[in-house]
Amino acid sequence: MKGFAMLKIGETGWIEKEKPTAGEYDAVVKPLAVSPCTSDIHTVFEGGVGERHNMMLGHEAVGEVVEVGDKVKDFKAGDRVVVPAITPDWNTREIQNGRHQHSGGMLAGWKFSNIKDGVFAEFFHVNNADMNLAHLPEDIPLEAAVMITDMMTTGFHGTEMADVQFGDTVAVIGIGPVGLMAVASANLRGAGRIIAVGSRPVCIDVAQKYGATDIVSYKNGDTVEQIMELTNGNGVDATIIAGGSVEIASSAVKITAPNGTIANINYFGSGDNVPIPRAEWGCGMAHKTITGGLCPGGRVRMEKLVELIKYNRLDPALMATHVFKGLDKVEEALMLMKDKPRDLIKPVVLVN
Ligand code: NDP
Ligand code: ZN
């Protein structure tokens, strides 16, 4: 089979590999729709997770099951499925501590395009199919469904970690697709004011549709000053970081009020340290919680996110600004994610 791979840091290309086979609890899936992620860019062009050779890229896919192992109970060849970006081993010690993303070691629940071949291929392997796949209802369009796998679960995790409450003032720094899902989930959780930070007009438009009440462009002046002015010097209850480089953490601490939470869902692809400003952290005593996490994966999470689309709570397909046809377009789609033209939110490749 062929697939689009990271050949080494800084280099991509099409390669041939053996078609994977399913272990007794596993499945082999052929993609129906895939989407490149900014994380693929950090991985291949910034070496975010270190060197990798000839590893298929991609971790966002919905597909059709083509083969299952003997012990798989709930899925069979022909089923349409949502495949989460995070596919942990569900029989490890870490699971009992409630940290499935780190089952088997830090970030080890993230397997596709990190520790095994990803989904930008004619076929891909899914471990522990009964726990990692979710059925995809026929009436959910593929452009919406593919957003569940990573964008929705990640953006939603930002507001979960920030523990957004009814009436809270929330800042979302970065409104690419990940930040837009943080905006949408803050809205679903009942935030009062949602301040969205970004500059691409297409993202601003969708942010407003998803519930942003205020827009701040970091290109129109200092983000911290603008948000402190908007909030009469009080700062916000919760900040979700979904864009920018490591320095953005410093701005996030500055704009978050004492007792507030800063939740990072950004992938800091380069830099050795993440700065925390001493004074605005109350000399270490401001009760500002700083957290950050890899998105949740697994079957139940995907099933719940499917419900939100099925019952019209959210339409993530608004983010699919560039839709391609044919697996061979994955290269073009990935390069869009690298270059980030002003009219882009998220490219989707429909495989058939
Ligand atoms: P995008 O590049 O599409 O969006 C980034 C956003 O940040 C844009 O709105 C951009 O503004 C804004 N931005 C850039 N620089 C600054 C700055 N200095 N100050 C304020 N805002 C800024 O990225 P994605 O939405 O695709 O992904 C966001 C991050 O999430 C990535 O690092 C990605 O790797 C990570 N990620 C993390 C996951 C997890 O599990 N935690 C899973 C998936 C992705 P502009 O409008 O000008 O472009
Ligand atoms: Zn991703």
Side-chain angles (χ1 to χ4, degrees):
M1 65 163 197
K2 69 169 184 174
F4 191 66
M6 168 174 183
L7 305 180
K8 59 180 188 175
I9 292 175
E11 242 181 72
T12 56
W14 289 94
I15 59 171
E16 289 279 339
K17 280 200 183 185
E18 286 288 306
K19 181 182 164 192
T21 51
E24 54 184 354
Y25 292 100
D26 307 339
V28 175
V29 173
K30 77 171 179 194
L32 296 173
V34 298
S35 183
C37 178
T38 305
S39 301
D40 290 307
I41 305 302
H42 294 304
T43 300
V44 59
F45 295 109
E46 294 172 21
V49 290
E51 186 59 285
R52 301 286 188 276
H53 292 288
N54 299 333
M55 174 186 74
M56 300 298 189
L57 284 164
H59 49 260
E60 298 180 17
V62 289
E64 184 185 313
V65 175
V66 294
E67 182 190 330
V68 292
D70 296 345
K71 300 241 161 71
V72 175
K73 292 182 291 215
D74 297 340
F75 296 89
K76 59 182 188 320
D79 286 354
R80 276 166 39 112
V81 287
V82 178
V83 186
I86 305 306
T87 52
D89 295 323
W90 290 93
N91 60 347
T92 63
R93 202 180 157 274
E94 293 83 0
I95 294 288
Q96 293 188 14
N97 282 331
R99 298 185 204 114
H100 73 259
Q101 293 95 321
H102 310 293
S103 158
M106 189 168 67
L107 305 181
W110 172 24
K111 299 195 186 308
F112 293 125
S113 69
N114 178 20
I115 54 181
K116 74 173 191 184
D117 280 325
V119 302
F120 294 168
E122 288 176 290
F123 302 95
F124 58 86
H125 169 267
V126 181
N127 57 297
N128 208 334
D130 281 324
M131 289 294 98
N132 282 324
L133 293 176
H135 288 286
L136 173 61
E138 281 295 329
D139 51 352
I140 294 187
L142 295 175
E143 292 91 330
V146 76
M147 301 295 180
I148 298 171
T149 63
D150 190 0
M151 299 301 95
M152 277 180 77
T153 184
T154 303
F156 279 52
H157 197 42
T159 51
E160 285 166 334
M161 287 187 294
D163 195 24
V164 171
Q165 301 289 325
F166 290 122
D168 274 356
T169 296
V170 178
V172 178
I173 303 182
I175 46 168
V178 169
L180 285 170
M181 288 296 94
V183 168
S185 59
N187 192 32
L188 285 164
R189 288 175 74 102
R193 191 174 192 186
I194 303 173
I195 303 171
V197 183
S199 84
R200 277 177 270 163
V202 64
C203 296
I204 290 169
D205 178 49
V206 174
Q208 286 167 331
K209 291 193 169 108
Y210 285 154
T213 54
D214 300 75
I215 303 292
V216 165
S217 170
Y218 65 99
K219 293 187 174 164
N220 283 351
D222 183 60
T223 303
V224 174
E225 277 173 24
Q226 294 186 73
I227 293 180
M228 292 315 279
E229 198 178 312
L230 278 174
T231 57
N232 297 322
N234 291 320
V236 301
D237 299 304
T239 300
I240 291 110
I241 305 176
S245 53
V246 285
E247 285 72 32
I248 207 74
S250 172
S251 306
V253 172
K254 290 178 183 170
I255 61 168
T256 306
N259 209 37
T261 301
I262 298 107
N264 180 67
I265 45 176
N266 207 13
Y267 173 158
F268 291 129
S270 54
D272 289 330
N273 296 297
V274 179
I276 299 174
R278 185 189 60 81
E280 290 87 350
W281 201 34
C283 307
M285 298 179 286
H287 292 104
K288 297 189 187 184
T289 302
I290 303 175
T291 183
L294 181 66
C295 61
R299 176 176 179 171
V300 172
R301 174 77 165 185
M302 296 302 112
E303 287 173 349
K304 290 189 179 185
L305 297 177
V306 163
E307 295 290 279
L308 287 169
I309 301 178
K310 190 171 163 188
Y311 294 102
N312 298 317
R313 303 284 181 204
L314 175 65
D315 180 10
L318 297 184
M319 302 191 295
T321 49
H322 294 62
V323 180
F324 297 91
K325 291 222 164 93
L327 186 64
D328 56 340
K329 295 287 190 205
V330 111
E331 181 170 6
E332 199 178 324
L334 183 80
M335 292 311 155
L336 272 180
M337 222 42 191
K338 180 165 184 271
D339 300 337
K340 300 270 157 76
R342 302 285 296 167
D343 62 346
L344 175 84
I345 301 181
K346 183 88 170 160
V348 172
V349 178
L350 303 176
V351 174
N352 297 318

